[in-house]
Structure formats: structure tokens, C-alpha cells
């Protein structure tokens, strides 16, 4: 449990830093003379940096472990948070937000940790809880930063244009503290740290080229990156625009707008773990097909509620629509990462990174299309974002696992359509002869629960890793 708490706390801290500017935008834009386009560009920049850092973090997790990746990224990105206090132009504001956004790659280490530490039957809840509580930082920063600003401005007597700059030192310090805590107290795997296990021979050091090729050649990786782009991606977009939306549209105070916007992020405490729980329950009854249907239902509902938020004409209706949209979007994130651990075992880190990067790419694209200029009002941009969610969720019906089936088609009846064959296909014959695939075979046996219901009970007899089977034979089933 120590690793569980370190993972979500580290991710939450980085969320606070990345979106610390959002609730203070009414003050920052006056200080730096920012235009609507400047604010839109900075919002896109804040989520664009981690497109690359999340991909890199996936490789780091696969090769040297999540502990080093998380700790060093937090400490290396902390100076960019302090740097916000020195900016004096729109360009500097955009660059600072871009660099701070790199820290969001801690999401990948968070999900890698949970997928490695918890049993496949509860991995949805574990991933959902850790990421959901981490995403809660998006709500925390909406409350924390205005409170810090008011304290520094009114209680300590600093001018408004100085107070917002000083406020950024708090999240910067928190990042350093959490980075050190992860480095000292964290552990990569249930058995120990990567470096120790590799020295003892209990864990094989894999080759990046093979891990990367396996990830990008699996079409499911790309579909889930798209789906995450319009679940987590719209959540990131909303974190950037929602406080300003309520401030401008309903003439609220900075603190009131931030408090309402905080509800969007705080819903993560319950919503994302709920999505993981629904995914696990769907798998318990219907196998992997239940997990896929869960993603489609909750994410499509999120799109419909987002459309409602954009069309709502009063403050009470807007708040209700925002909360409903928040619950569904965040539950969809949890449901998606209830499936990711089963897409690949060998390339889990890179596929987690690709999915996470898809979230940031979706956010950047959405902000570019709907919120980076005055072409659309905020309410019309939110409405169109909802339409995009509904449309971009449809490809989930294309996901198919031979051993488990898809949304509309059952599992293949071929004898080679087994869990061992699916995960064994990630390894060459030479690698199997060396026994490098043993951990994948252990996971394959564990993942038979994804057949759902009575099918799991019928097929629960284990298959020894060295026995003759499609996973070890000459007719592997390629994923």
C-alpha cells in the first residue's frame, strides 16, 4: 500500500503544478496582457509537453522501473514551476506551461505500478483509484491557488501581480519533497526494485527495440490512445477552461469560479475508481466483453453530458451538467485502464505511455480547435467537444481479443485462441528457449478470468510454461 499512496500523491502533485495557472488566469492575463489566443496557446502547451514525456516514461518503466522515472522527473521539472514567477511575456508564459506539463508523465509510472502490484481481478479498481486520486490534483489546484493568492495578497500585503508569482513556489516545493519520498520509500515491483532483481537474475533486462515494436504493432494500442484522448483529454481541456468559463459567463468572483471548477477535479476521488470497479464487475460477469461495453457506455454518456453543459443557460444547470460530465469522463478513464494491462504484458509500460500520450494529444487538439481563438464562444466549444467525445468513442467496437472476443463477437473457437498463445506471441522462439517469457505465461494463466462467468471456471486449470502449447509451439497467435 505504500507504493499505492506514493504513486497517486506524486501524480496529484504534478497535476497541481501543471494546472496551477488556470484558476489565476484572470489576474495573470491582466499582468501579462494576454489575449484569448495567448491563453489558448498556453493551454495547449501545458498538455503538449507530456505527449513526449509520457511516451518516454513508458520506455523507462519497462526498462529501469517506475521508481526512478517518477522521482527524477518530479525533481527535474520542479525548477520550471519556480520559473513561472519570473515570466514577463506571453511567450514566456507559454514556454513555462509547456515545460511544467512534462511532469504529467508521472501518470504512466502510476499506472505501471498499479498494473504490476495488483491482481488482474482488481486491477481496474487499483488503476482507477490511484489515477483518480492523482487527477484530484486538478480540483485541488482550483481551490489551493486562489487561496494562496488571497493569503499572499491580502494577509501578507503583496500586490496582485506579485502575489500570483509567489504562489507558484508552493507546488514547486511539493514536487521536490514528493520526488525524494518516491526515491527513498518507493519499490518497483512486489518482489523488489528492478536493479536488484536484474542483478539476481529474477528479472530479465529487455531490449527497447523489441518492446517498442511489440507496442506499436498492436492495433489495440492506437484505439485506446484515441479513446483516452477523448476521456482524459477532455478532462485536461476542461481543467484549463472551466474556471474562466464560469468567471466570464456568470460574472462570478475568482474564488467562486475556482470553487465550482474544483468540483470537476474532485469528482475523481469517486468517479475514476468507480469506472475501474464497473470494469472489473463487467469482467466478472461477461469477461473482456463486459469491460469493452463499460468503456463505450460511460464515455458516450460523458459526451452527452458535455453537450448539455455547453447548452445549459443557467448557473445551477451548468453545475449539474458539469458534475455529470465529470463523473462519466473520469469513470471512462478508469474503465480504459481496466483494459490496458491486458493489451500486452511485455510492452505494458510503452502501451500505458502511448495511451497516456493520447490523452494529452486529444486535449491539445481539442483546445486548438475550439478554445485557442475567438472563433467559438466557450459554451459552443464545450458543446462541440461533447460531439467529438461521442464520435471518437465508437472505435472501441473494433477491439477484439481472439481468446476473449469483442463487443459484438465472441471469442474465437480455434484451439490456438488461448491466453498463453496471445502473450506468448510477443516472444521469439529463441527467447522462449531461454525462458524469458515465463512471467508472461504466469500472467496469461491469471488472465483467464477475462473469459467471464462459468467459462473461467471450466478453463481454470493451469498450463505449465514449458508444456507444449500454442505459446511455446510453432503456431503462435499474433496479437
Amino acid at each position: 500500500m505504500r507504493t499505492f499512496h506514493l504513486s497517486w500523491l506524486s501524480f496529484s502533485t504534478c497535476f497541481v503544478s501543471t494546472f496551477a495557472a488556470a484558476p489565476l488566469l484572470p489576474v495573470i492575463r491582466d499582468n501579462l496582457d494576454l489575449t484569448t489566443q495567448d491563453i489558448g496557446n498556453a493551454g495547449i502547451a501545458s498538455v503538449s509537453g507530456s505527449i513526449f514525456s509520457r511516451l518516454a516514461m513508458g520506455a523507462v518503466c519497462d526498462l529501469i522501473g517506475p521508481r526512478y522515472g517518477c522521482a527524477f522527473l518530479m525533481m527535474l521539472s520542479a525548477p520550471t514551476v519556480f520559473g513561472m514567477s519570473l515570466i514577463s511575456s506571453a511567450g514566456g508564459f507559454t514556454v513555462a506551461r509547456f515545460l511544467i506539463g512534462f511532469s504529467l508523465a508521472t501518470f504512466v509510472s502510476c499506472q505501471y505500478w498499479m498494473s504490476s502490484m495488483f491482481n488482474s481481478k482488481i486491477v481496474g479498481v487499483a488503476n482507477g483509484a490511484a489515477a483518480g486520486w492523482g487527477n484530484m490534483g486538478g480540483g485541488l489546484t482550483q481551490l489551493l491557488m486562489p487561496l494562496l493568492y488571497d493569503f499572499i495578497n491580502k494577509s501578507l500585503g503583496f500586490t496582485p501581480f506579485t502575489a500570483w508569482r509567489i504562489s507558484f513556489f508552493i507546488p514547486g516545493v511539493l514536487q521536490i519533497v514528493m520526488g525524494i519520498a518516491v526515491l527513498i520509500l518507493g519499490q518497483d515491483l512486489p518482489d523488489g526494485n528492478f536493479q536488484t532483481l536484474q542483478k539476481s537474475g529474477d528479472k530479465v533486462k529487455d531490449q527497447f527495440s523489441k518492446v517498442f515494436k511489440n507496442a506499436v504493432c498492436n492495433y489495440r494500442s492506437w484505439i485506446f490512445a484515441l479513446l483516452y484522448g477523448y476521456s482524459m483529454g477532455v478532462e485536461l481541456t476542461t481543467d484549463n477552461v472551466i474556471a474562466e468559463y464560469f468567471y466570464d459567463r456568470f460574472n462570478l468572483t475568482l474564488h467562486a469560479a475556482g470553487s465550482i471548477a474544483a468540483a470537476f477535479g474532485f469528482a475523481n476521488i469517486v468517479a475514476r475508481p468507480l469506472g475501474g470497479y464497473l470494469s472489473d464487475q463487467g469482467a466478472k460477469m461477461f469477461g473482456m466483453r463486459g469491460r469493452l461495453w463499460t468503456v463505450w457506455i460511460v464515455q458516450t454518456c460523458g459526451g452527452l453530458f458535455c453537450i448539455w453543459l455547453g447548452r445549459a443557460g443557467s448557473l445551477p444547470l451548468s453545475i449539474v451538467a458539469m458534475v455529470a460530465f465529470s463523473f462519466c469522463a473520469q469513470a471512462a478513464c478508469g474503465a480504459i485502464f481496466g483494459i490496458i494491462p491486458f493489451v500486452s504484458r511485455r510492452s505494458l509500460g510503452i502501451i500505458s505511455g502511448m495511451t497516456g500520450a493520447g490523452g494529452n494529444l486529444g486535449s491539445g487538439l481539442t483546445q486548438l480547435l475550439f478554445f485557442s481563438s475567438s472563433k467559438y464562444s466557450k459554451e459552443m466549444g464545450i458543446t462541440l467537444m461533447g460531439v467529438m467525445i461521442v464520435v471518437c468513442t465508437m472505435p472501441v467496437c473494433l477491439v477484439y481479443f481472439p481468446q476473449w472476443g469483442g463487443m459484438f463477437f465472441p471469442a474465437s473457437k480455434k484451439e490456438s485462441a488461448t491466453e498463453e498463445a496471445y502473450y506468448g506471441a510477443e516472444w521469439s522462439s529463441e527467447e522462449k528457449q531461454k525462458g524469458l517469457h515465463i512471467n508472461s505465461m504466469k500472467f496469461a494463466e491469471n488472465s483467464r478470468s477475462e473469459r467471464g462467468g462459468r467459462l473461467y471456471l471450466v478453463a481454470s486449470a493451469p498450463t505449465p510454461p514449458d508444456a507444449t502449447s500454442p505459446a511455446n509451439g510453432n503456431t503462435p497467435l499474433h496479437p
Side-chain angles (χ1 to χ4, degrees):
M1 291 301 291
R2 183 176 61 194
T3 297
F4 171 80
H5 292 299
L6 286 173
S7 67
W8 77 260
L9 281 169
S10 60
F11 181 39
S12 184
T13 301
C14 293
F15 230 101
V16 169
S17 299
T18 300
F19 295 101
L24 301 181
L25 273 176
V27 179
I28 297 173
R29 69 186 179 189
D30 291 340
N31 186 190
L32 302 179
D33 295 322
L34 301 177
T35 65
T36 300
Q37 185 170 1
D38 292 332
I39 294 172
N41 290 339
I44 294 170
S46 69
V47 297
S48 298
S50 57
I51 294 174
F52 310 105
S53 62
R54 285 185 170 189
L55 289 171
M57 180 64 84
V60 169
C61 289
D62 279 328
L63 299 177
I64 66 172
R67 182 174 64 100
Y68 279 156
C70 178
F72 290 136
L73 178 60
M74 292 190 75
M75 289 187 281
L76 289 173
S77 59
T80 64
V81 184
F82 298 135
M84 279 290 285
S85 63
L86 304 175
I87 61 173
S88 58
S89 65
F93 181 63
T94 300
V95 170
R97 294 209 67 188
F98 175 78
L99 295 174
I100 294 171
F102 274 69
S103 65
L104 286 181
T106 49
F107 164 77
V108 178
S109 59
C110 169
Q111 297 295 271
Y112 185 97
W113 252 334
M114 297 304 97
S115 298
S116 301
M117 290 284 188
F118 289 88
N119 184 279
S120 63
K121 295 179 182 179
I122 59 168
V123 71
V125 172
N127 271 334
W133 296 0
N135 285 351
M136 180 183 63
L140 179 60
T141 197
Q142 302 283 356
L143 285 178
L144 176 65
M145 296 309 290
L147 288 174
L148 286 173
Y149 167 79
D150 284 342
F151 175 75
I152 296 168
N153 174 220
K154 297 175 181 178
S155 300
L156 300 184
F158 288 92
T159 65
F161 291 170
T162 301
W164 76 260
R165 296 173 183 274
I166 297 174
S167 300
F168 276 86
F169 279 89
I170 305 303
V173 170
L174 289 176
Q175 274 198 213
I176 293 176
V177 171
M178 279 307 306
I180 294 173
V182 168
L183 192 61
I184 295 175
L185 303 175
Q187 182 172 303
D188 290 314
L189 297 169
D191 299 333
N193 290 318
F194 264 48
Q195 193 173 23
T196 302
L197 294 174
Q198 287 171 351
K199 286 182 178 178
S200 65
D202 293 328
K203 180 172 178 57
V204 179
K205 190 170 184 178
D206 216 332
Q207 296 181 22
F208 171 75
S209 59
K210 294 183 178 180
V211 174
F212 180 78
K213 181 181 178 181
N214 183 64
V216 299
C217 290
N218 191 323
Y219 78 92
R220 302 169 193 83
S221 307
W222 300 101
I223 291 178
F224 285 114
L226 172 64
L227 293 172
Y228 205 64
Y230 283 91
S231 54
M232 185 62 192
V234 296
E235 182 182 346
L236 296 175
T237 299
T238 307
D239 282 332
N240 265 332
V241 304
I242 196 67
E244 188 183 14
Y245 167 73
F246 279 107
Y247 179 87
D248 290 335
R249 189 174 186 192
F250 299 107
N251 298 313
L252 303 179
T253 65
L254 189 67
H255 181 68
S259 297
I260 294 172
F264 185 87
F266 277 125
N268 271 294
I269 300 175
V270 176
R272 188 152 180 164
L274 177 62
Y277 174 78
L278 292 174
S279 179
D280 288 341
Q281 290 304 302
K284 186 177 181 180
M285 293 184 287
F286 306 108
M288 179 57 68
R289 302 178 73 184
R291 291 189 188 272
L292 294 170
W293 273 103
T294 299
V295 170
W296 181 80
I297 291 170
V298 295
Q299 189 155 319
T300 299
C301 288
L304 296 176
F305 285 127
C306 183
I307 294 171
W308 181 27
L309 172 61
R311 308 314 296 165
S314 67
L315 180 60
L317 278 180
S318 293
I319 294 174
V320 171
M322 181 198 71
V323 171
F325 163 46
S326 175
F327 260 83
C328 288
Q330 292 157 8
C333 294
I336 288 171
F337 267 88
I339 299 174
I340 292 301
F342 300 98
V343 175
S344 170
R345 203 59 191 169
R346 186 176 190 179
S347 304
L348 173 61
I350 291 184
I351 290 178
S352 297
M354 289 174 64
T355 307
N360 289 78
L361 184 60
S363 177
L365 179 61
T366 302
Q367 291 182 68
L368 178 64
L369 291 175
F370 306 132
F371 300 104
S372 63
S373 69
S374 56
K375 182 178 180 180
Y376 300 109
S377 63
K378 283 285 192 303
E379 50 266 36
M380 180 54 70
I382 291 172
T383 300
L384 294 175
M385 182 169 68
V387 174
M388 289 284 283
I389 295 170
V390 174
V391 172
C392 292
T393 303
M394 293 179 181
V396 71
C397 68
L398 301 177
V399 175
Y400 182 81
F401 293 90
Q403 70 277 33
W404 300 318
M407 284 180 64
F408 299 111
F409 299 99
S412 172
K413 295 182 179 180
K414 294 180 180 179
E415 292 185 5
S416 58
T418 65
E419 290 79 4
E420 288 79 9
Y422 181 83
Y423 294 110
E426 298 181 331
W427 303 88
S428 67
S429 298
E430 293 78 10
E431 289 171 327
K432 291 174 184 177
Q433 290 175 359
K434 296 178 181 178
L436 304 184
H437 68 310
I438 296 299
N439 287 331
S440 292
M441 292 301 97
K442 291 178 181 177
F443 182 79
E445 181 180 334
N446 198 327
S447 68
R448 288 177 183 173
S449 58
E450 295 306 301
R451 298 180 184 184
R454 288 179 298 175
L455 290 176
Y456 169 58
L457 297 177
V458 172
S460 59
T463 301
D466 56 347
T468 301
S469 72
N472 295 293
N474 297 319
T475 57
L477 179 67
H478 291 282

